[in-house]
Amino acid sequence: MRMLSDADLAQILDQDIFHQISEAADALDMECYVVGGYVRDLFLERPSKDIDVVVVGSGIRVAEELKQRYGRRAHLSVFRNFGTAQLKVRGSRGEADAEVEFVGARRESYSHDSRKPIVEDGTLEDDQNRRDFTINALAVCLNKDRFGELVDPFDGIYDLEDGIIRTPLDPDITFSDDPLRMMRCVRFATQLNFYIEDETFDALQRNADRLKIISGERIQDELNKIIMAPHPSTGFDYLYRAGLLPLILPELTALDIVETRNGRAHKNNYYHTLEVLENVVKGKEKAPSGSPNGEGNMELWLRWAAILHDIGKPKSKRWEPLQGWTFHNHNYLGAKMVPQIFRRLKLPMDAKMRYVQKLVDLHMRPIVIADEEVTDSAVRRLVNDAGDDIDDLMRLCEADITSKNQERKQRFLDNFRLVREKIADLKERDYKRLLQPVIDGNEIMEMFHLTPCPAVGTLKQTLKDAVLDNRVPNEREPLMQLLMKKAKEMGMEVKS
């Protein structure tokens, strides 16, 4: 972290937008400060687009004054019910827009059953008192006579330097007033790789149950940010030890159990899951450039698949005297649980959910293939079922190999390499065309004068199995011969 003097801050803020805000505030004789995450990120030398400005007085009036100064280059949105305004400024030379949120300084009070505060006008001190963490309570004055002056009543600058997350006031009050701050606490610690100060962490544990008043939408927004952090398992560890994770994802914490019979124990699937999640994150750098996740389009949902891939294990766990502990069909059971988890957390019930569900369902298939002889038929069936998500599935399955037996682990990884080579060969030869029989269901119905019925499905599956197993080439003549033979076996009238 770089320590910055007031002169350094003034130099960094020597931009048109901040000087214009300064002049607008001075013209209205109001104190004006840039606050929160923007200031924090200046010290951490992190890019930040969100500029939050607190005005001791009316934030809306300063925003309106600023709009007049910029004219058509600025678009103003006013939210009078909340006492806030947003100004988007288009650069004079076509550079990136500046986006500034204005709010009046305020003090807040809460009732026990709601996180919505009762808001009153306040001083800068009141406004900094209501901030969630000391590192987010930093303010820099924008008025001309004090331009660049840092106001830091809680020594947040030292917490930034030491890498500490701490609340400005009593953490029990901070978290009880707005329980979402507990999720934000873990999120900032995870994103910044900071340590949650002991008293603050103890308050997380004492107030965990308050999270129940927070909506699923709010929780999943913070959780997704934790999942997309460089080391998301750190966040899950904090959530679990604080008692928050059992309230959010009890299906995940249910994996934290190890049973032993006759001296044979199964692994702890909770810690295994966190290891898989970290492996998926590491695998991002190796993702094929042509896959969606090479660009991060579905990265969040691949990480969700890693988190949920083993959630079916508690329901499927059995003790078999000859085999030991088994988890047969845990992938199928886990896939069935995915929609209810997404629904509860208000995650999208669309193609993203179906993507996660598919990866959870299929995650054992490459492992089974890699544990046996890697046959063309098995790989063709895998590619057919995974479709365009095959690269992501392979990345998840490679991440799932966490065995401490290095010889066994290497054998799996070597076989996965063979699977990938066969997949690459199929792709090169246009696997979609190779895997879909050239005779489809519509043609079958027309040929035998059928409407949709089980017989059509049986005939289609016969052709598909033959193509996937590479027993016949995917060409019209050999498939037609197979179709007629199967129809005859089913007692259907076949013209010679």
Side-chain angles (χ1 to χ4, degrees):
M1 190 195 93
R2 184 160 61 119
M3 293 300 290
L4 301 170
S5 65
D6 289 356
D8 292 328
L9 288 169
Q11 186 174 3
I12 292 171
L13 297 176
D14 186 16
Q15 303 172 42
D16 181 67
I17 184 66
F18 292 113
H19 285 299
Q20 292 288 353
I21 294 171
S22 177
E23 291 178 13
D26 283 346
L28 295 170
D29 196 25
M30 294 184 188
E31 289 180 46
C32 189
Y33 302 83
V34 58
V35 298
Y38 190 87
V39 180
R40 177 197 68 222
D41 290 341
L42 285 180
F43 285 92
L44 294 176
E45 298 181 84
R46 298 172 78 226
S48 182
K49 296 179 181 178
D50 300 326
I51 302 173
D52 292 320
V53 171
V54 164
V55 177
V56 182
S58 172
I60 292 175
R61 284 189 62 197
V62 173
E64 290 171 338
E65 175 72 20
L66 193 61
K67 160 65 177 167
Q68 288 185 352
R69 292 168 182 270
Y70 276 113
R72 293 182 179 179
R73 285 175 52 201
H75 174 75
L76 177 65
S77 301
V78 176
F79 310 96
R80 296 196 184 276
N81 288 345
F82 299 97
T84 64
Q86 179 190 71
L87 194 77
K88 293 183 179 180
V89 182
R90 187 174 65 255
S92 58
R93 299 178 183 176
E95 64 267 26
D97 293 352
E99 188 171 312
V100 189
E101 298 274 352
F102 290 87
V103 65
R106 60 193 186 185
R107 58 172 173 263
E108 298 175 343
S109 57
Y110 292 80
S111 62
H112 189 71
D113 59 350
S114 173
R115 62 176 293 267
K116 294 180 180 178
I118 299 168
V119 179
E120 302 173 273
D121 292 341
T123 63
L124 175 65
E125 180 183 3
D126 291 327
D127 203 88
Q128 288 178 299
N129 286 343
R130 73 179 182 82
R131 299 278 162 175
D132 49 9
F133 308 109
T134 59
I135 63 172
N136 293 336
L138 302 168
V140 177
C141 188
L142 294 180
N143 296 96
K144 185 176 180 180
D145 60 344
R146 295 170 54 206
F147 193 85
E149 178 185 313
L150 177 68
V151 183
D152 179 20
F154 306 110
D155 292 330
I157 195 69
Y158 297 110
D159 288 343
L160 273 179
E161 190 174 18
D162 295 335
I164 290 174
I165 303 294
R166 180 171 61 89
T167 59
L169 303 177
D170 183 336
D172 282 307
I173 296 175
T174 297
F175 294 145
S176 181
D177 280 351
D178 183 356
L180 186 65
R181 289 170 177 162
M182 294 188 286
M183 294 294 298
R184 287 169 56 82
C185 178
V186 173
R187 190 248 291 183
F188 283 120
T190 308
Q191 287 180 326
L192 301 177
N193 193 27
F194 277 20
Y195 170 77
I196 300 176
E197 179 253 355
D198 290 346
E199 187 178 346
T200 301
F201 185 79
D202 291 344
L204 287 177
Q205 294 178 315
R206 288 192 294 269
N207 291 277
D209 203 52
R210 290 279 290 151
L211 194 67
K212 292 176 181 177
I213 73 168
I214 304 299
S215 70
E217 290 93 343
R218 295 282 188 172
I219 290 172
Q220 60 100 343
D221 183 56
E222 294 296 329
L223 188 59
N224 285 343
K225 291 173 182 176
I226 292 169
I227 291 170
M228 287 302 291
H231 294 287
S233 65
T234 301
F236 278 90
D237 180 57
Y238 273 130
L239 290 172
Y240 194 11
R241 290 192 294 113
L244 296 167
L245 192 59
L247 301 173
I248 302 167
L249 268 179
E251 297 88 351
L252 184 57
T253 57
L255 298 175
D256 184 18
I257 186 172
V258 176
E259 286 192 59
T260 303
R261 284 198 190 181
N262 295 344
R264 300 172 71 178
H266 62 77
K267 66 186 172 188
N268 185 304
N269 287 299
Y270 171 74
Y271 290 104
H272 161 74
T273 295
L274 296 190
E275 191 174 351
V276 173
L277 177 58
E278 287 294 318
N279 287 343
V280 162
V281 175
K282 291 177 190 173
K284 184 178 181 182
E285 298 175 3
K286 303 174 186 176
S289 58
S291 75
N293 282 327
E295 300 300 322
N297 295 338
M298 293 290 282
E299 180 68 23
L300 171 63
W301 309 108
L302 177 55
R303 295 186 188 192
W304 264 107
I307 292 163
L308 302 180
H309 80 284
D310 273 351
I311 55 170
K313 282 191 169 179
K315 291 183 178 180
S316 65
K317 184 168 69 174
R318 299 288 183 274
W319 170 257
E320 305 287 347
L322 298 180
Q323 296 176 272
W325 292 105
T326 65
F327 301 92
H328 297 311
N329 292 323
H330 75 273
N331 54 308
Y332 170 73
L333 293 173
K336 287 180 64 177
M337 295 166 67
V338 169
Q340 65 195 52
I341 292 171
F342 268 53
R343 193 173 290 111
R344 186 180 73 234
L345 291 177
K346 302 297 189 291
L347 290 162
M349 301 296 293
D350 57 12
K352 292 165 184 170
M353 184 278 290
R354 292 190 293 274
Y355 166 92
V356 173
Q357 190 175 31
K358 178 164 74 171
L359 263 57
V360 171
D361 189 25
L362 294 178
H363 83 270
M364 291 299 295
R365 289 274 293 281
I367 295 173
V368 171
I369 293 172
D371 201 25
E372 301 168 355
E373 183 182 355
V374 182
T375 65
D376 286 350
S377 174
V379 173
R380 290 163 75 91
R381 287 181 173 278
L382 176 66
V383 171
N384 177 74
D385 292 341
D388 291 335
D389 300 319
I390 184 64
D391 288 320
D392 297 345
L393 177 63
M394 291 302 298
R395 187 171 146 203
L396 172 61
C397 293
E398 286 170 349
D400 198 18
I401 306 303
T402 62
S403 172
K404 300 301 181 282
N405 182 327
Q406 290 303 313
E407 183 179 338
R408 183 169 185 267
K409 184 175 182 177
Q410 193 57 51
R411 175 167 57 83
F412 270 115
L413 294 177
D414 288 344
N415 280 357
F416 273 142
R417 181 174 49 78
L418 293 177
V419 173
R420 279 194 179 276
E421 288 174 0
K422 289 181 182 291
I423 291 170
D425 180 61
L426 271 175
K427 283 185 173 183
E428 192 173 331
R429 292 187 288 132
D430 187 4
Y431 72 84
K432 289 183 179 178
R433 181 180 59 80
L434 289 170
L435 301 182
Q436 296 301 320
V438 295
I439 300 174
D440 63 15
N442 289 329
E443 189 172 353
I444 291 171
M445 286 190 288
E446 185 178 341
M447 195 180 304
F448 295 103
H449 305 290
L450 297 171
T451 56
C453 63
V456 176
T458 300
L459 292 171
K460 280 176 59 179
Q461 193 62 46
T462 298
L463 299 184
K464 191 165 190 175
D465 288 343
V467 168
L468 292 176
D469 292 338
N470 211 20
R471 286 187 277 113
V472 297
N474 192 7
E475 298 170 2
R476 188 170 189 80
E477 187 58 34
L479 283 178
M480 188 64 75
Q481 291 177 14
L482 178 61
L483 179 63
M484 293 305 171
K485 180 182 176 183
K486 182 63 178 178
K488 195 171 184 179
E489 290 173 2
M490 295 171 63
M492 298 172 67
E493 184 179 344
V494 176
K495 295 180 181 178
S496 57

